[in-house]
Amino acid sequence: MSRKGFASSGRKDAFSSSASLGSGFDAFSSLSPLSYLAEPPDFSALDPHVTVSFKSLSLKKDDATKARALGEIVAFVKENPFVDGTGDAILEAWVKLYPRTAVDSSGRVRELSHSLQYELMLWGRRRMEKQLPKIVGTWLAGAFDRHKPASRAANEGLTSFLNTPDKKAMFWKKCQKQILDYATEAAQETVDTLSDDKERAAKPAEARSKFLRAIGGALALVTQLFDAVDEKARAPAEDQYDKFLSLNQVWEMASVEDSGIRKNVYQLLSICLEHKEAVIESALPRLRRNIIYDGLRCDQTGSSTEYVRTLTRLTTRHPSIWSISEKGKKSPKKSPIGLLQTFVEKGSQGGAGVFWVCLDKLLSIIPQDLTYDEAAAFAHSMRSGVSNRLEPRSNAAEGWACYIELARRFSDQLGSEGPKLIQESLFPLANHYINQEGSVWSSGAQLPVLLRAYKVSARPISLDLLCTSWDGLADTMASQISSSLPEQSKDYHKSQQVVSDAGGRWFTLVGAIFHGELETRPVHGPSNRLISECCDALERRNFKPFGAASTLLSAVRKCPALINAKESNKLVELVRDNMDRVLCSPSSPYLFSSISALGNSPNTETQSFYHKTWPAIVEAVLKHESEPGVVDAITTLVSSGEETAELARSDQDLQEYIANKCIASSEGQGEAWSLFETVYTFGTLTPGSTSRIATSLVGKLNPGEDCADALRGLEIIAQRRPDTLTSNETVHVNLVTKLLSMTSLSDQRAANIKMLLDQTKSTRNKSPAITIIQSNLSSAGPQTLDVDTLVEQALLAAKTGMASVESLLPSLKAWMQELLPFFQVDPNPAVSVSNILRGAQFLVPTSSGNRSIRTSRRDRYGASVPARMAMYTAALIGSGIELSSLPIGFQVDVVYFLLLTQQLASEQQIMDRDEMLWQTMSKIDASAQVDGLRASVNKLIVKVSESEWVPGSLMGELVKVMVEETKELKPANLYTARALANVFQIFASKYGFSGATENLIVRLDVFNTSVEHALGAVAVLGGFSDLLSSSKPVINFCNKMVSEMLGANPTDQKTLVNLVLLNAAASVFDSGTLPVANNRLVFAAKHITSWFADPEQIDHAVATEACRALQNLLPCMESVYGSYWEDSIGFIAYLVQRAEGDLVDLRLSYVHAALKLESTLQGLESPNDDLVDALQSSAKERSLAVLDLLALPRGPSSDPQLIVESLVCQRANKIPLKYIKDLSDICPLVESESEEIQSAAFNLLHKVLPEQQQQISVDVVLDKTSAQLPDELISLLLEPPTLEQYSDDALALFPTSVRAYLLTWHLVFDAFSTASHKVRDDYTSQLKERNFLTPLLDFMFDVLGHSAASPLQLEREGFDSSHITSYPLHLAATGVVESEEKSMHWLLLHVFYLVLTYVPGLFRTWHINCKRKATKIAVRDWTEKYYSPLIVTKALDDVAEWAKSGQDLSGAGTDESELNIRVNKSAREVVAGYEVDEVEACMSIKLAADFPLGGVTVNGLKRVVVAERKWQSWMIITQGVIMFSNGNIISGLTVFRKNIVGALKGHTECAICFSIISEDNKTPEKRCGTCKHMFHKYCLYKWLSSSNQNSWVGKWEVEGGK
């Protein structure tokens, strides 16, 4: 480096202290060895064999050259012994080069530098140990390198010498001064001192990363020093510690873009708070700026939790750090609390749920003195953060808990205003849960969250408001019940189901409130009123609204504490007194289930009432025996516990009826099989009745005849009550004889019955409770008991010692048999988009083509038998039932089946498919059950992982069994692999990754290329993820899989397996850091891209995995030129185009992979020329292909579908406008059912339409035609929505059709925004001719309430002028607004603003023609209040800006004067003057208070040039022009100027006064015949009067000159 370079470096702070040492190379001694200005080594004494290598390393910039040089030096050191002289020279040179090489931009160079350092330690031994103090900081810092291979190389070298904890501790202690010196020097470096001008200019990103690497290493070193060296040992170096901690650069890193560095700063600050309080005390102002102000502003992704923890510790010690300065009081958003509000609005920023726990602690100790508005705004921001769509669903519970605690604290601080805050912040949670309203509250619709919020709300300060709120909810619910659609309506069932679901949620919440022993006054009265409303609605509407009946059932089942004898009597009387109507109504099953559920009430008074009334109800039912609904009614009434069975056995009429129905069913004369199964399940029959039925059934068994119904009945008895077939010897012998005969005829059902009878001995001793539980688990139907009820019965049986743990659990054999049909379903390839195993989804061959399972065995919630078994088992274990007493094999099977069922359930939820474990995911109950199952199983796995992972333990045996199960490529094993990955993920999150864990993984023997181990390997890699990045077996496996790519054939199944394994192994490492030799990577990439020459031979699976493989390989070789860059880009374009011809589920995976690959290639920091050229040459083709993707038909809604749509839309938003010529394909997308696609299409058109207007304006002038809005855009306005088309609930969800219509209007006005006046007039005429605006305004004012004379109050809804004047789509779509309805209102408000801005004349016409007086008044007053001030301000601002620009104020290229414009906003007035000879023609334009509904008034202030009549006509013309140009004041001003200029045209100055305007405001009009000059009459008269020529004056007067 030259002296000139040194002098111009600009690093003044770094070496200002050494200025006195002289200039040039004398100053090198003071420079950090990291600086590019540091003294270069002496190459003269080096061995000639390495001189060139050392020079290349010192002087060359190319990464490959430096890596090659390092490799050559390593080879020399290994091959040659240490020689005095040259060996010392090599060590001296290396010591000077090592610091800079260790922070080089290339990860490979850094890795080799640490490897060389290790080799030199072995080579030089004692000589190198003497040099060690100079480079110890560099070597140790390398261990914290973010590049895994580099840190691994540094660690391996260090651990080879420091191989015991004692040695390591002693080393850190002894070298702490040198470490601190290095850290201090590194912290003072800058981008300018670490990289020269050329490096910074050519590769600024690399220069920045080098700087961050250097300072990051320094921070990590000092943080580690505090951990490795105790306080006593630190004492000798206290000054150096203080020096480092006093550096501004250290704390400035608190807001740097690198999350790892930020975390180091926060950890260091936490340590200093414990050990360096004095330093922190002195640095508080600086920390306040760096940690509070800068830290809260910056993006904290990856460090948010550590940041909040540090803030909590800092605030605990120094609460004054949050004090608000005078500047902060003037600008609250810039105060610490204001910045914290912005911070929490971003959510956890990728953090785990513990972020919210830490934030709650922080908020609890921050000194706060907020006003109500500030507190409400802060709560709103946190609500937005918790409900942000990027916030992980798993964080919801902790996030809402933090939010609720915040509301509680704020309410306590606000005093009398506290209840109001609780009302706004917490009450809507219950409203959303019950009515499903408000997207911002949706993630809080969980019972624990709701109960916590209710507990806070039910405190004395807000109890009255809470009572009022629940009364309002009850009114809404009652209205919903009474207004539900009648049976004749086509949406009858949908309407009733909405009521049913809402009622179920109501009483689920109320039941939880009662069960939690919370304050019940707010809910007790409204709930009773709701029950009465349900009863009244049923009786009033002939029992047709089954939603009301279902609500009653929910009340009895889920909130039994609410149902006393009075309420029970009301229900019983309702049914008994209207039995004939009830039996034939759709409400029948719900009402009889309600009566049956009374028997399970914990209320003794209700139980007593039930026992008295049950026989009467049965008697009333049996009186209508001929009615079709009687069998179902009796079936429901006897479906209860033992007490109901006793009541049934004592009713002879009932026994007779049941026996007759059962016998008739066995004879094929009736369909009472549900009754048959129920009575034997619950033990309803007397011995006499069972004997009669058994005798009848056995008598119908005749070998060779059709006796299927009799066998079916006997099978039911044998399964549920086999003792009834064996207790009577005659019946038993007769039955066995006939069964043996039929078995010999290969009758499978007979054989099953025989087997069941053989097992009778073991089942005789079963408890009735066990029988009920097992029968309700092994079957599912509308009458089966709820899982919660079964769990209660099981816990009671376990508590009383009536049953063993094993007998309470489901039959594992039956469980597996029930799961098997679900494993026959073909794996959906789209799952690979979002699943942890990614491409493993493709490994299982498809055969059946099935994607669903149709089964009638479901409970009332749609749950299948295996789903019920899993929920029951998980709930049982979660309630305290221990598995540890069971054999280890049984425990493993139970956990394994739970995991399998969990995976099936999760996939159904992700894919949103019907007819799987649950009938549908659209019901909130089903989704909640899946969430609950997932959480319960994950808790169980956490508990399982607590048992040490060793052979023989539950964890060890579970892993062993699951790995063994993954050895065959079958659907069941695919789910096993997913479950295994989940187990590993939970284990890793709790225990991390250690050498012992690595040994256990190695013993699994899954890291090989055989097909049978593929699923196991992917499960391990996916579960432990990046924790495996330093594992040697994984690194070797990754290398092996890269090598396997050579020679692979894309049509070979083994190739797909290898691709999947390669991608799984590569995903462990950071992008661009694969620990594989570069030549291997190049060969692999080249071979994969060679397949693309014939892309049609590549199926969807190989295409997906090939793209993923290239996404892993190519970033590692960005500097290597080759054809594979162009081939990869071409293949991406091909896949995007190919998507049109494939099924949705097939294309989702490869479209996702292709777009991710494209994004990766475009994001490379240093792309080579081949890649740049390939991207540029294919840009248009790829952009148009993405537009085609947007237009493809959508598949069923699912998580993968939404992920891919989001990716496609993000890509579409980046399409350059120059490629968009034809709007015909984009406009229809605004009507898409997907909001993402709607938004993408809108964003494109929002940019394109204004851009096109300039050309349209030119074309209109040249072609002399009228401009027209695009037909494709206009077509979207042809079917406007009306209020009658949507129910209130549907409209509140902001239907996509309404959104599309309003966005289309937004686009129409986008076209207006940049169009010329002529084009705007043409557009306005087009809208007027086809009357497009009237439907918009009608719908708008219907929705906003004007039609009902109750317009929306913007202040109350939280809208301000910014919402009126703008509608940023990305904000409205990310959950910033509280509900979909509010988003719709926001868009309506903005569209109306655009109407008033661009077509106010059409609005005035609508207003004049509006026939409803109340609507007209409401619209006028509302417009004047909220819009007119904004429109007036905008109009006046436009005039002021126009005047400032000087455009058209004077005639171009003439000497005409400019208009003098004065704007008076307070008076809503514009004054325009035109100066002529120091006299100004002046007029004013005043806007009405209700402008633009009201007009403008134009008044002439000072007339010149023309007569009064002409002047007034000008004022009228100006006013007319403004009105007819949609209120454009500039148009009026332009006309005014043109009139004056026109009047002055042709006039010259008077030859006497030398002015155009005389004192009487007239122009020269007398011309001299001799001189031809013009004269004012007045000037001529005055001149003649002043002369002595009286005769001339007389003549002038005679001629009328005076």
Side-chain angles (χ1 to χ4, degrees), residues 504 507-508 511-512 549-563 571 589-590 592-598 600-602 636 639-640 781-786 788-789 792 859-861:
F507 286 105
T508 297
S550 176
T551 300
L552 288 176
L553 175 59
S554 298
V556 177
R557 278 186 173 159
K558 298 178 179 179
C559 191
L562 188 68
I563 309 299
L571 174 61
Y590 301 101
F592 286 113
S593 294
S594 301
I595 293 174
S596 181
L598 291 174
N600 299 320
S601 174
T636 303
S639 302
S640 193
Q783 308 302 329
T784 51
L785 295 176
D786 289 350
D788 293 341
T789 304
E792 290 173 6
D859 65 13
R860 66 177 61 88
Y861 303 110

Side-chain angles (χ1 to χ4, degrees), residues 937-1124:
V937 174
N938 286 346
K939 285 182 181 177
L940 174 61
I941 298 305
V942 171
K943 190 174 181 181
V944 169
S945 66
E946 291 173 356
S947 66
E948 193 176 355
W949 183 3
V950 293
S953 70
L954 179 54
M955 179 68 181
E957 291 303 305
L958 177 65
V959 171
K960 178 182 176 182
V961 168
M962 295 179 75
V963 169
E964 190 64 30
E965 287 293 327
T966 60
K967 289 187 177 179
E968 191 175 351
L969 298 180
K970 298 192 302 186
N973 297 347
L974 174 63
Y975 291 104
T976 299
R978 287 189 201 162
L980 183 59
N982 186 38
V983 171
F984 286 144
Q985 200 171 40
I986 293 172
F987 178 86
S989 66
K990 187 170 184 180
Y991 298 107
F993 184 74
S994 62
T997 306
E998 183 178 52
N999 292 334
L1000 289 168
I1001 291 174
V1002 171
R1003 288 178 194 169
L1004 297 178
D1005 192 28
V1006 293
F1007 291 144
N1008 56 61
T1009 59
S1010 65
V1011 174
E1012 70 172 5
H1013 291 108
L1015 290 177
V1018 174
V1020 172
L1021 293 166
F1024 286 98
S1025 189
D1026 59 348
L1027 294 176
L1028 297 173
S1029 60
S1030 59
S1031 169
K1032 282 190 175 179
V1034 174
I1035 293 171
N1036 294 336
F1037 182 62
C1038 185
N1039 276 270
K1040 186 186 300 182
M1041 296 319 303
V1042 172
S1043 299
E1044 286 290 322
M1045 286 297 100
L1046 299 180
N1049 188 330
T1051 60
D1052 186 356
Q1053 177 65 18
K1054 187 65 169 65
T1055 297
L1056 177 60
V1057 174
N1058 289 339
L1059 279 170
V1060 171
L1061 291 174
L1062 168 61
N1063 291 328
S1067 66
V1068 166
F1069 305 95
D1070 293 336
S1071 178
T1073 64
L1074 288 184
V1076 182
N1078 219 37
N1079 60 333
R1080 286 189 184 181
L1081 296 174
V1082 172
F1083 291 147
K1086 190 172 184 179
H1087 186 73
I1088 292 173
T1089 54
S1090 70
W1091 303 340
F1092 304 159
D1094 185 12
E1096 294 183 358
Q1097 69 172 332
I1098 304 176
D1099 65 10
H1100 68 279
V1102 174
T1104 302
E1105 292 307 300
C1107 286
R1108 288 173 178 165
L1110 292 173
Q1111 187 181 351
N1112 293 314
L1113 299 174
L1114 293 178
C1116 302
M1117 39 190 279
E1118 59 181 324
S1119 61
V1120 183
Y1121 290 79
S1123 61
Y1124 31 78

Side-chain angles (χ1 to χ4, degrees), residues 1279-1295:
E1279 297 182 7
T1282 61
L1283 194 63
E1284 294 74 20
Q1285 291 176 341
Y1286 305 95
S1287 65
D1288 291 344
D1289 293 337
L1291 191 61
L1293 296 176
F1294 198 5

Side-chain angles (χ1 to χ4, degrees), residues 123 207 411 458 594 601 683 699 724 815 1003 1082 1101-1102 1265 1346 1361 1476 1506 1509-1510 1525 1546 1582:
W123 190 58
S411 66
S594 301
S601 174
T724 62
W815 195 344
R1003 288 178 194 169
V1082 172
V1102 174
T1265 57
H1346 298 75
S1361 60
V1476 182
V1506 295
R1509 184 175 180 181
K1510 186 72 170 178
S1525 61
K1582 191 175 181 182

Side-chain angles (χ1 to χ4, degrees), residues 1230 1242 1249 1269 1273-1274 1276-1281 1298-1312 1323-1324 1326-1328 1330-1337 1339-1340 1387-1388 1390-1392 1394-1395 1398-1399 1402:
V1230 179
F1242 172 82
L1249 286 170
L1269 290 162
L1273 193 62
I1274 288 296
L1276 303 181
L1277 303 177
L1278 296 178
E1279 297 182 7
V1298 174
R1299 187 173 186 265
Y1301 179 72
L1302 297 179
L1303 288 178
T1304 301
W1305 273 107
H1306 195 305
L1307 293 171
V1308 167
F1309 293 122
D1310 285 338
F1312 272 82
Y1323 288 164
T1324 303
Q1326 185 181 4
L1327 296 177
K1328 181 178 180 181
R1330 303 184 66 174
N1331 196 27
F1332 282 126
L1333 198 64
T1334 297
L1336 168 67
L1337 296 175
F1339 177 73
M1340 180 183 294
L1387 184 50
L1388 283 168
H1390 181 57
V1391 168
F1392 184 51
L1394 298 177
V1395 168
Y1398 296 114
V1399 288
L1402 299 184

